[in-house]
Amino acid sequence: METLEQIAARITAAMPEAKVAIVPNPALPGQSSLRLSHDCAVAVARFLRDDAALRLDYCSNVTGIDWPERVIKTTVKTKQIVDGVEKEVTTVSEEFQPGCLETVYHLYSMALKHGPVVIRMRTADRADQCHMPSLTPVWKSAEFQEREAFDLYGIRFDGHPDLRRILMWDEFTDFPMRKDYREPDDYDYEPTAHDAVVEKAARHAATPAQPFAGA
Amino acid sequence: MITSLIDEELKKDLREQGVVVTTLQEVYNWGRRNSLWPLQFGLACCAIEMIAAAASRYDLARFGGEVFRPSPRQADLMIVAGTVTKKMAPQVVRLYNQMPDPKYVIAMGACAISGGPFKQGYNVLKGIDRYVPVDIYIPGCPPRPEALLQGFIELQHKIDHQKLSGPGKASFLNADTPSEYPVPAFGAHDLEPPANPDVFHPPKIERE
């Protein structure tokens, strides 16, 4: 199979308006991925599926990632000559990264027996603009998994044929896999509490308005 | 011990002579405990062990529990075999309500008892005893078929000791004892209520 750089180059050659970024993976597997912009995502997905050299006809996995707002601190040590003496000066730069939700699709080719090619999409933010195009029209197997990402992360897939909750009940309003999810306080009986549960059980015991005091 | 008006030694002597002396309560409980019909449903891997206990190697039929009924109207025993998710819990309670009295519940495995390995999960009920009264708890993850058989036999002992009349008679004979419990509703964040206070009485934990 071609490298990801070659695939990205061919996408931009076929569709000059498409914005495709390569996301490097510094970890050991080194499995880099392609990040697609919303406006061209479905067209690029169709290209990946139908291109004769790729034929990525099987979408094996769709998952979500929650990126809360965070400040990335990078420390750089440089040597400078201050008053004629060489000193090591550390400069800390802070970069603010806004929060967003991300989906990851793993694509394989059944026909040509290769893969995976990993593609990603990001929403604008985590609040009211958590929309992205659905790839279910391209890969039918994404339907339930996009519903799962909607259910657990709150990602709205535009163009999905049946976007409902799939694991939680319809009346549920939270998104349990988000980092800021607060679970209901039902720590009324924790006989073998450990780690974080000790604190939660103690907090429950200290709360006056509890439905069941463990009578 | 089965209490009866007749002296136990005399009864034993008579039985050796071929005379059977018994009480209505004894016969009634003997019949009930040896024909417990479980409700046929499973929720997770514990159900596989339950199936193994019912199949030929372990053979629940030796104890009269092989008649798994697909309808709650014909069942005496609910074996909650597996993880009860919060989405499934109202249906389990509804099935319990549809069973006729006298009815018994076995909580099989860590999940049915407390949520087990999924206790801290966002969609797992922390024990079915939050909504229905449980007679026998069988620990294990999953419990082996032998453990289910022992739990079953313990339940038979419990039935054997239930009185039909007098003080301390079985609760199902008391018209005031409820045989149905409220089905929890799906709330915005959790099941409502998160437990039934009439049923759920966890022991008080003393913490330092």
Side-chain angles (χ1 to χ4, degrees), chain B residues 108-122:
Chain B
M108 181 184 180
C111 295
I113 294 171
S114 70
F118 312 110
K119 193 176 170 74
Q120 311 308 329
Y122 50 85

Side-chain angles (χ1 to χ4, degrees), chain B residues 115-164:
Chain B
F118 312 110
K119 193 176 170 74
Q120 311 308 329
Y122 50 85
N123 193 23
V124 173
L125 186 71
K126 293 178 174 180
I128 191 63
D129 55 0
R130 285 173 175 253
Y131 294 116
V132 296
V134 174
D135 296 284
I136 302 289
Y137 295 86
I138 306 175
C141 188
R144 285 191 55 86
E146 295 95 322
L148 178 59
L149 291 182
Q150 194 191 349
F152 195 85
I153 292 163
E154 287 296 328
L155 180 65
Q156 290 184 329
H157 285 317
K158 185 172 183 172
I159 292 169
D160 244 347
H161 293 141
Q162 285 190 321
K163 287 184 182 173
L164 298 189

Side-chain angles (χ1 to χ4, degrees), chain B residues 37-40 69 71-78 99-100 102-103:
Chain B
W37 290 10
L39 180 59
Q40 186 178 41
R69 303 312 293 190
S71 162
R73 302 291 187 201
Q74 302 170 340
D76 312 305
L77 168 64
M78 173 182 254
M99 285 164 61
K103 51 189 169 184

